[in-house]
Amino acid sequence: MDEIALVQSAQHGDLDSFNTLILHYQDRVFNTALRILGDEDIAQDAAQEAFISAFRSISSFRGGSFKAWLLRTVTNACYDELRRQKRRPTTPLEPDTKDGDEMDSPRWLADPNLTPAEQSEADELEHAIQHCLDTLPTDFRTVVVLADIQGMDYSEVAIAAHVPLGTIKSRLARARLRLRECLRGFEELLPSSFRLEEERTS
Amino acid sequence: MKNFRDIEQLSSYLDGQLSPSESTRMESRIASDPELASAFNDIRAARGILRRLPSRKAPRNFTLTRQMVGLKPPLPRSYSFFRFSTSFATILLTLTFAVNLLTPRLSYVGPLNTGWWGGGYGGGPVAPQAAAPEMMEALSATEAPMAAAAPALEMDVVPTEAASADSARVMETPVVEAPTAKDLGNASELQDQPQVKKEAVVPIAWQIGLLAVGLISLLMMLALNRSAKQKWK
């Protein structure tokens, strides 16, 4: 895929070229939105909005990393969605415990048709991580999603999150520390590979 | 727990963001400081587990349609010309209608018009000297009953020419009314109902022309638009 040529065609209004770029990046865009927002349906909407917004503003792309530029529109769409949620808060579906506190683990969302073993193998890690991501402030979450989940380098994250490089370093370090603390609470849920790594490195 | 500056350095070291000299220094510190090594392991473990997070496949394609982004088919340059001419013709046509409606021009034709103005109703600018010959023409056009009244007319008109303007007005009134009252049936009717012809300020031919230009331009616009859409599909 000649990304530069496709971007240039899209800048001249060629929607087919842009759709080719969408097909290439849609998984990454959707995953970013999903990890920032924590809801699949809302993440789909945000991803779609991001692509529409990206096409409309593609003339503002002046070169560099198209992926970083595209993910910036996604983070903007996610921030918009989070602001919208703040303005119109909804009652969470998450059930309360007998004490009235919300359950820490999102395991109740699991598919009841699966056996407990399958469930834990397939979903628990993801649920635990997503839960810990959700506890982070949005700015920290965005940085850690872009750097550690999407595997972007610092300069790309700086473009996508629209913050200076120094801020990226600081936020990433804080976010990792907080995540580590949060994940300690799910130690028994973590896969053996993680525990082994921990044991190996300790 | 180490101070945050150390944590930030560890995080950057983990990502290979330190300079070679800083990296070397950090490696030696980790090797000699168990607390720093533990913090490093924590950060590395957190990053490791985040990287193991499975990547979800997009549940659907997010490709865009032209409707979604509000794209319109590229139109030929002549389209803007026809759009301009349609608008221009429409505005002008509206203006011509407005002008014709708001400023009607009435013209009074025939000698009776003059008789109206000069017939003693305060038509200041029309001098009796000018009215008199016209009145004479009108009277001469009448038939035999007018001839019978001729002496009376002559008697009345002569002093009119010699007298002042005020006295002439006073004298004129019976001059006109006298034959009307007697025999001038048709003439008096024409006098009482002056012939008024309404003229349009903007000729109707112009309006028809503008309407034609507007309609043709509009049709051309629609045809170009349709052709562009078909080509686009």
Side-chain angles (χ1 to χ4, degrees):
Chain A
M1 186 185 76
D2 186 355
E3 187 175 283
I4 296 171
L6 288 171
V7 169
Q8 285 174 345
S9 296
Q11 284 178 324
H12 288 97
D14 185 358
L15 190 59
D16 293 336
S17 297
F18 193 75
N19 279 335
T20 307
L21 291 167
I22 288 177
L23 291 173
H24 183 70
Y25 283 110
Q26 63 182 2
D27 288 345
R28 191 183 292 267
V29 165
F30 170 70
N31 272 279
T32 303
L34 177 65
R35 298 309 171 200
I36 293 175
L37 295 169
D39 182 281
E40 191 168 324
D41 291 334
I42 298 172
Q44 283 188 52
D45 292 343
Q48 190 70 78
E49 282 299 318
F51 281 124
I52 292 171
S53 171
F55 181 74
R56 286 179 176 160
S57 61
I58 196 167
S59 57
S60 67
F61 175 66
R62 302 287 179 213
S65 169
F66 179 72
K67 179 179 74 176
W69 181 84
L70 186 61
L71 289 183
R72 183 172 169 174
T73 64
V74 181
T75 55
N76 286 339
C78 291
Y79 284 157
D80 288 344
E81 180 55 38
L82 290 169
R83 274 194 290 270
R84 212 170 10 247
Q85 286 178 4
K86 248 182 194 172
R87 283 199 301 270
R88 289 176 294 175
T90 53
T91 307
L93 291 170
E94 198 166 346
D96 291 344
T97 60
K98 288 177 184 173
D99 301 333
D101 299 327
E102 285 182 358
M103 287 173 66
D104 281 342
S105 170
R107 292 179 66 188
W108 62 275
L109 282 170
D111 188 345
N113 295 324
L114 296 176
T115 64
E118 290 170 332
Q119 189 68 54
S120 61
E121 286 293 325
D123 296 331
E124 283 185 351
L125 172 63
E126 186 176 355
H127 288 166
I129 294 172
Q130 186 63 55
H131 172 76
C132 289
L133 283 172
D134 291 344
T135 61
L136 293 175
T138 309
D139 291 337
F140 287 19
R141 196 188 319 156
T142 302
V143 170
V144 85
V145 165
L146 293 171
D148 285 344
I149 297 177
Q150 295 299 330
M152 298 169 76
D153 62 37
Y154 283 20
S155 58
E156 285 181 319
V157 176
I159 294 169
H162 198 33
V163 285
L165 207 62
T167 310
I168 296 298
K169 289 180 182 176
S170 168
R171 286 182 182 174
L172 193 55
R174 287 177 190 274
R176 283 169 173 169
L177 269 187
R178 288 196 186 193
L179 280 171
R180 186 67 191 96
E181 290 304 312
C182 177
L183 288 169
R184 278 188 200 282
F186 295 92
E187 202 75 42
E188 76 284 0
L189 301 176
L190 298 177
S192 56
S193 59
F194 176 72
R195 288 197 292 271
L196 283 172
E197 181 181 341
E198 188 183 21
E199 284 163 9
R200 189 174 59 244
T201 55
S202 61
Chain B
M1 175 60 69
K2 306 302 289 184
N3 64 49
F4 184 70
R5 175 67 187 160
D6 285 340
I7 299 297
E8 193 177 320
Q9 288 278 313
L10 282 174
S11 180
S12 298
Y13 169 70
L14 186 66
D15 292 327
Q17 294 291 321
L18 295 181
S19 65
S21 60
E22 286 174 327
S23 293
T24 308
R25 205 178 312 134
M26 183 56 72
E27 280 170 14
S28 61
R29 283 189 65 195
I30 291 170
S32 61
D33 187 343
E35 198 181 348
L36 196 64
S38 173
F40 176 68
N41 288 335
D42 281 349
I43 292 172
R44 186 164 62 177
R47 192 186 72 162
I49 200 160
L50 284 172
R51 290 190 170 180
R52 279 170 177 76
L53 193 62
S55 177
R56 294 269 198 97
K57 194 167 173 57
R60 63 181 172 88
N61 279 341
F62 293 106
T63 49
L64 304 177
T65 63
R66 294 184 179 99
Q67 287 77 19
M68 287 165 79
V69 293
L71 270 183
K72 291 176 180 175
L75 295 166
R77 286 187 179 181
S78 55
Y79 184 84
S80 56
F81 167 76
F82 286 117
R83 186 174 55 191
F84 172 77
S85 60
T86 303
S87 309
F88 193 65
T90 306
I91 291 168
L92 278 184
L93 190 62
T94 310
L95 280 176
T96 58
F97 275 118
V99 166
N100 284 349
L101 278 174
L102 294 175
T103 59
R105 181 181 290 174
L106 299 177
S107 67
Y108 303 95
V109 293
L112 296 174
N113 175 30
T114 315
W116 236 42
W117 283 95
Y121 291 101
V126 182
Q129 288 86 353
E134 289 175 6
M135 200 182 336
M136 288 299 291
E137 285 177 16
L139 290 172
S140 66
T142 57
E143 294 176 1
M146 282 294 291
L153 279 171
E154 283 178 11
M155 287 177 66
D156 289 336
V157 169
V158 170
T160 304
E161 291 174 352
S164 66
D166 291 337
S167 61
R169 278 189 201 131
V170 173
M171 294 300 289
E172 277 174 14
T173 307
V175 168
V176 177
E177 287 177 358
T180 302
K182 290 180 181 178
D183 302 316
L184 299 176
N186 292 334
S188 68
E189 279 179 18
L190 288 171
Q191 274 185 332
D192 293 336
Q193 298 176 358
Q195 290 180 347
V196 178
K197 184 182 178 184
K198 191 176 175 180
E199 286 181 357
V201 176
V202 181
I204 196 162
W206 285 35
Q207 290 179 324
I208 291 171
L210 285 171
L211 185 64
V213 168
L215 283 176
I216 290 168
S217 300
L218 183 65
L219 287 173
M220 288 301 293
M221 273 174 64
L222 292 173
L224 287 173
N225 200 352
R226 191 172 177 180
S227 157
K229 277 182 181 171
Q230 282 177 346
K231 273 185 191 173
W232 212 33
K233 282 176 184 174

